[in-house]
Each structure stands twice: as structure tokens, then as C-alpha cells.
Amino acid sequence: MSHAHTHDHHEHGHSHAPEVSTQNERVVLTALVLTAGYMLVEVAGGLLSGSLALLADAGHMLTDAAALALAWAGFRIGRRAADARRTFGYMRMEVLAGLINALTLFALVAWILFEAIQRLRHPVEVLSGPMLVVAVIGLLVNIAVFAILHRGDRDHVNIRGAMLHVIGDMLGSVAAIAAAVTIRITGWMPIDPILSVLICLLILRAAWALLRSTFHILMEGAPPDIDIERLQAHLLEQVPGVAHVQHVHVWSITSGRVLATLELGLDAGTDQRQVVPAVKQALADRFGIGHTTVEVLFDPPRACALRAAAGPETEG
């Protein structure tokens, strides 16, 4: 097969990739220090008061601290240049850390649920006073963290995700306050393990979403907002000279960093030096794909080697 093989690794035009800014990094780091600091206070308060709800909420804070740490690491590591051994750089470290974080959270939830069942069978006395003080401090810290994140770039995927996590933390703090007040007024101890189970549901929701997104990226899955058939149709309609588009592969190297490879067939007499940059620009403008490798073919289309390995090709 003869073909002209054109690679261009420069980014073009508009991109949906996260922008690294000193302001965003400072905002995330401040929120991380506050969240992680309070998480330690909450662990101490949970052990001191005997409250499983506080310990469960500390676990929920751990999810947020981990999310903020990943966001901050993404800013820092994203600056590190690729080298000869790691040609994609270090951006996927964020994804690997997210996968480990998700698996750790599932283990944490299993422990809390086991402990909650034990406490429902054999109630343990909880000191409502220290529990209430720690829970109220937690709510104030979460409000402060939310206000700090609100000052950052709210269109940034990491900032927006961290704000959603903090809203969940506020609910966890409110649940812990409700448990403390209930125990102080009624002395009904089972409310503590019951609310700890509800907080576990919040942790599970965050952990499952994190596990799915990291697994999808590690499986080289196409970003959910990109439809391959629509992408092909868009190039055929918008870029003059494109006769067919095939063997399209789109994936994320990390959250918000989308790459693509594809092959083009051109109309007779078309100058590939004009079409290839136009295709890259169209993908950047419409789909936020900042890094595209384009191969121009002059022979009839042939089966993609990846599809051929899995069976007969069914689509172009």
C-alpha cells in the first residue's frame, strides 16, 4: 500500500482541555489543605466521641481530598514535558491515582458497613457533645472550601468536579449534625450507624463514578460526548476535498485531553497540504480534539488492523 503519511503534533485553535493557571492551582491547593486538615480533625473527633457517622463522613472527606489532590497533581504533572521514554508525558498518572482511589473507597465503605451492622446489633455509646462540635466545624469548613472554589475557573472540569464533591460533603456534615442532635435529645444511639450508612451511599456514588471514568480512559474509550459517525459526517460536510474518513480512533490520555488518529481519502486534484490542517482545525473547533494525527491514503481503503484482529470489519 502506498500512501502519504502526514503527522503533525501541534495543537490548533480552540481546545476543551483544562487550562493550567496559577489561580486555579492555588484555589485547589487551598481547598485541599482545608479539606485534608479537617478530615484528620474529624477522624480524631470520631474516635474520641465513638461516632461511626463522623468516621464515615471523614471517609467522604477523603474522597474529596483525593479528588482535590488529583486535580492539583493534574495541574503540576501536566506541566512536565514528554521525553523520549514517555512520549505522552505523565498526564495518565492522574488516571492511575484515580483508579487506586476508587478501589480504596470501596474497601472503606465495606468496613463502615460492617461496623454499622455490628453497632446496630450491639449499640455503642456516642458522646453527642464532641460529635456535634466536630460536625458543625465540618459544615463551616465545607462552606469555606466551596466559597474558595467558587472563586476559581468554574468552567474547568476539575474545579467543577471538586465543587460537586464539596456539596456532597455539606450533606454529610448535616447528617452528622442531625445524628448528634438526635442522640443529645433522645439518647437513641442507632441513629449514628444508620446515618453512617447513608453517608456511605454518597461515598459509593462518588467512588463508582470515579471508577467508571478512570476505567474508561484506561480502556482507551472514546469520550462520551464524541460520536464517531457524527465526527466523520462533520469532516465530510465541512472540509472541502475530503472524499472519505476511515479508521477513526479517539481517546483521552487523561481527563479533558483528547487525541485522535484517522485516515483520509481525498478528491482528485486536492492538495493535502491544505486539507490536513483544515481537518485538524475542524476537529479542534467542533470536538475539542487538540492533538490529531492524519494519514492521507491514495490507495483504496483497507481493513483496519485493529478491527481485523477482532474479526471482519463492519464499518468504515
Side-chain angles (χ1 to χ4, degrees), residues 237-254:
E237 294 169 1
Q238 300 299 322
V239 182
V242 174
H244 56 82
V245 183
Q246 63 185 33
H247 301 174
V248 180
H249 301 283
V250 182
W251 72 101
S252 301
I253 191 68
T254 188

Side-chain angles (χ1 to χ4, degrees), residues 70 92 94-96 98-99 102 206-224 252 254-255:
L70 289 174
R92 196 157 273 188
E94 176 184 341
V95 183
L96 292 174
L99 179 64
W208 177 246
L210 183 59
L211 180 65
R212 285 185 58 186
S213 63
T214 55
F215 186 75
H216 188 72
I217 291 174
L218 291 174
M219 289 295 291
E220 309 280 358
S252 301
T254 188
S255 176

Side-chain angles (χ1 to χ4, degrees), residues 106-122:
F106 280 110
L108 177 66
V109 166
W111 176 78
I112 293 174
L113 291 177
F114 174 79
E115 189 67 17
I117 292 171
Q118 298 302 313
R119 292 196 177 200
L120 285 172
R121 296 175 61 186
H122 308 289

Side-chain angles (χ1 to χ4, degrees), residues 14-283:
H14 170 72
S15 170
H16 292 172
E19 295 179 2
V20 177
S21 73
T22 303
Q23 172 67 11
N24 281 343
E25 184 178 330
R26 188 184 305 116
V27 161
V28 168
L29 181 60
T30 305
L32 170 61
V33 170
L34 283 174
T35 302
Y38 174 69
M39 180 190 70
L40 297 177
V41 171
E42 199 165 30
V43 169
L47 294 175
L48 179 67
S49 66
S51 170
L52 187 59
L54 276 186
L55 291 175
D57 194 42
H60 193 211
M61 296 290 282
L62 176 61
T63 70
D64 294 337
L68 290 166
L70 289 174
W72 184 75
F75 290 136
R76 303 290 294 184
I77 295 174
R79 292 176 178 170
R80 193 175 296 181
D83 55 37
R85 288 182 57 81
R86 297 174 181 81
T87 56
F88 283 106
Y90 296 80
M91 287 180 285
R92 196 157 273 188
M93 287 292 293
E94 176 184 341
V95 183
L96 292 174
L99 179 64
I100 294 171
N101 179 29
L103 296 176
T104 303
L105 290 173
F106 280 110
L108 177 66
V109 166
W111 176 78
I112 293 174
L113 291 177
F114 174 79
E115 189 67 17
I117 292 171
Q118 298 302 313
R119 292 196 177 200
L120 285 172
R121 296 175 61 186
H122 308 289
V124 175
E125 183 179 1
V126 176
L127 302 177
S128 61
M131 180 183 178
L132 181 60
V133 170
V134 173
V136 169
I137 293 174
L139 181 60
L140 295 176
V141 168
N142 285 322
I143 292 173
V145 170
F146 186 85
I148 290 169
L149 291 173
H150 198 265
R151 293 205 302 266
D153 177 9
R154 282 169 283 164
D155 291 330
H156 192 291
V157 63
N158 284 337
I159 298 287
R160 193 168 63 247
M163 291 178 72
L164 292 174
H165 273 281
V166 173
I167 291 174
D169 272 346
M170 291 182 189
L171 296 176
S173 296
V174 170
I177 291 171
V181 170
T182 301
I183 291 172
R184 192 164 190 83
I185 295 175
T186 68
W188 191 53
M189 298 298 172
I191 187 66
D192 184 61
I194 289 173
L195 286 181
S196 70
V197 171
L198 293 180
I199 294 171
C200 277
L201 296 179
L202 294 176
I203 301 175
L204 272 180
R205 184 170 179 270
W208 177 246
L210 183 59
L211 180 65
R212 285 185 58 186
S213 63
T214 55
F215 186 75
H216 188 72
I217 291 174
L218 291 174
M219 289 295 291
E220 309 280 358
D225 58 339
I226 294 182
D227 182 283
I228 299 300
E229 291 185 358
R230 288 183 60 190
L231 183 150
Q232 291 173 305
H234 180 75
L235 294 180
L236 290 170
E237 294 169 1
Q238 300 299 322
V239 182
V242 174
H244 56 82
V245 183
Q246 63 185 33
H247 301 174
V248 180
H249 301 283
V250 182
W251 72 101
S252 301
I253 191 68
T254 188
S255 176
R257 297 275 183 177
V258 184
L259 296 80
T261 64
L262 56 88
E263 294 178 354
L264 290 180
L266 305 182
D267 293 329
T270 301
D271 187 350
Q272 63 171 309
R273 292 173 298 181
Q274 295 180 351
V275 174
V276 170
V279 165
K280 294 182 177 184
Q281 190 66 55
L283 293 177

